Amino acid sequence: MDTVTQKGYAKINLGLDVLRKRQDGYHELRMIMQTVDIFDTVTITKTDEEGRIELTGGCTGLPLDEHNLIYKAARIMAEAYHLPGGMRIHLDKTIPMAAGMAGGSADAAATFLAINRLYELHLSKEELAKYGVKVGADVPYCIVGGTCLAEGIGEILTPLKQMNDIPVVIVKPAFDVSTGYVYGNLHADELKNHPDIDAQIAAIEASDYKKAASLMGNVLQNVTIAAYPELDSIKEQLRSLGSFGSMMSGSGPSVFGLFEEKSKAEEAAHKMQILWPDAFVCATKLISNCED
Ligand code: ATP
């Protein structure tokens, strides 16, 4: 086997709480993460050029050098396992960039999973996740996927009852938001309202999705929505179009809405596209379907 293709799936946050800022500058988080079925595709081919990692594809503005998270992931694995030869890696990018949907982390996760298959390393997802955290805090989750509680800086994962196939409308406004800017402007010690993550977990475990949606909260909205108040109106619009829960994902600016029926989600996305051209429908996805 000389080539392997692997999908890397995007995520949304159903809950995101920041507990405190640690001495090392990282934030201690409690997040409910959910895979959605939009993905990038990473194709890795073995080459004879010893030690060379060559990256192609992607999209405008995305670095194809050592700054790319795919490159970092491949380099870590090449060195850790003394992989022979080199790699040519092609990225087909669909996940919107700097959108709060962990696109870069999904690509890194796909790279770890692809290398595991290509070089027949037989590492478990948990073992891959230990390398993943060296690339980024969301990478371990993107390797594991599905409905998960993520704690620590995001790397301590507890799978929850899986929320499969719930229609989701995602609206990605035309501007990007840097995760660094949002965390840099968050005053974790001054947060007054924290989402009740434990109650939300209980609702998910009881498959009471309406209750889980009513408990959704994301403290990063304090920073991103203060800078871009139009995100609040996107949440409102999604609700008025039938969503049973809408919120900003991650550090934003993507806003998502959960729907009971796919046809209603499609109708809502269609209407949202008048004001927000980058509005689309996807669905929540199971861990077990994330293999290829
Ligand atoms: P998160 O939800 O984890 O905060 P995000 O969705 O907001 O992430 P990304 O799309 O992951 O943001 O990209 C953030 C930055 O990471 C970009 O500005 C980009 O330059 C850098 N980056 C490095 N590698 C990649 C990659 N493979 N795909 C996307 N972005 C990448």
Side-chain angles (χ1 to χ4, degrees):
M1 182 167 57
D2 285 331
T3 298
V4 151
T5 295
Q6 178 77 42
K7 291 172 183 166
Y9 287 91
K11 60 87 181 158
I12 54 174
N13 293 91
L14 301 175
L16 195 162
D17 195 14
V18 178
L19 305 184
R20 66 184 182 97
K21 190 172 179 182
R22 302 193 320 195
Q23 293 285 343
D24 61 9
Y26 282 101
H27 288 84
E28 208 166 289
L29 309 169
R30 284 193 95 207
M31 306 185 283
I32 300 183
M33 318 284 271
Q34 175 62 58
T35 302
V36 288
D37 61 359
I38 47 168
F39 56 84
D40 291 345
T41 306
V42 169
T43 302
I44 308 188
T45 304
K46 288 181 186 172
T47 67
D48 294 332
E49 287 181 83
E50 200 60 42
R52 185 175 146 114
I53 296 167
E54 186 194 344
L55 199 49
T56 60
C59 59
T60 315
L62 182 63
L64 292 173
D65 55 15
E66 70 279 6
H67 298 292
N68 197 296
L69 303 189
I70 292 176
Y71 186 97
K72 290 185 185 177
R75 179 60 68 206
I76 284 174
M77 293 305 274
E79 285 173 7
Y81 291 91
H82 308 289
L83 301 178
M87 293 177 219
R88 188 162 52 246
I89 309 180
H90 185 78
L91 169 65
D92 281 312
K93 191 121 191 91
T94 308
I95 304 172
M97 286 237 303
M101 301 187 70
S105 305
D107 296 347
T111 305
F112 283 111
L113 292 163
I115 289 175
N116 194 34
R117 288 167 55 211
L118 186 60
Y119 294 90
E120 298 178 36
L121 300 176
H122 305 292
L123 299 168
S124 66
K125 286 189 174 180
E126 288 66 30
E127 286 169 302
L128 290 173
K130 287 193 185 125
Y131 292 106
V133 74
K134 295 177 194 215
V135 176
D138 280 347
V139 179
Y141 165 71
C142 289
I143 290 172
V144 172
T147 314
C148 250
L149 171 67
E151 296 174 289
I153 62 167
E155 86 289 21
I156 304 169
L157 300 170
T158 310
L160 303 174
K161 190 161 179 192
Q162 301 296 297
M163 289 176 58
N164 189 30
D165 216 16
I166 295 172
V168 183
V169 173
I170 293 183
V171 179
K172 161 69 176 75
F175 48 87
D176 295 348
V177 172
S178 125
T179 305
Y181 165 82
V182 176
Y183 277 102
N185 285 280
L186 181 78
H187 304 292
D189 302 334
E190 294 166 21
L191 289 170
K192 299 235 164 23
N193 296 313
H194 291 270
D196 191 342
I197 299 283
D198 289 324
Q200 203 183 8
I201 291 171
I204 290 170
E205 293 297 314
S207 302
D208 188 345
Y209 300 144
K210 288 210 173 139
K211 182 152 190 211
S214 74
L215 291 162
M216 289 197 306
N218 175 354
V219 296
L220 301 183
Q221 291 183 131
N222 291 317
V223 179
T224 312
I225 298 186
Y228 301 101
E230 56 267 54
L231 300 184
D232 249 344
S233 73
I234 298 178
K235 291 200 290 182
E236 285 308 315
Q237 286 163 39
L238 285 167
R239 287 206 185 117
S240 71
L241 290 169
S243 166
F244 64 88
S246 62
M247 196 172 74
M248 186 182 86
S249 180
S251 50
S254 293
V255 172
F256 68 87
L258 306 175
F259 285 78
E260 282 181 86
E261 288 164 40
K262 195 174 172 202
S263 60
K264 288 266 181 288
E266 277 164 354
E267 234 172 80
H270 197 64
K271 289 190 176 144
M272 292 301 286
Q273 281 161 3
I274 299 168
L275 282 178
W276 310 97
D278 211 353
F280 55 92
V281 179
C282 57
T284 60
K285 190 166 170 59
L286 284 175
I287 298 175
S288 56
N289 293 344
C290 297
E291 297 302 337
D292 56 2

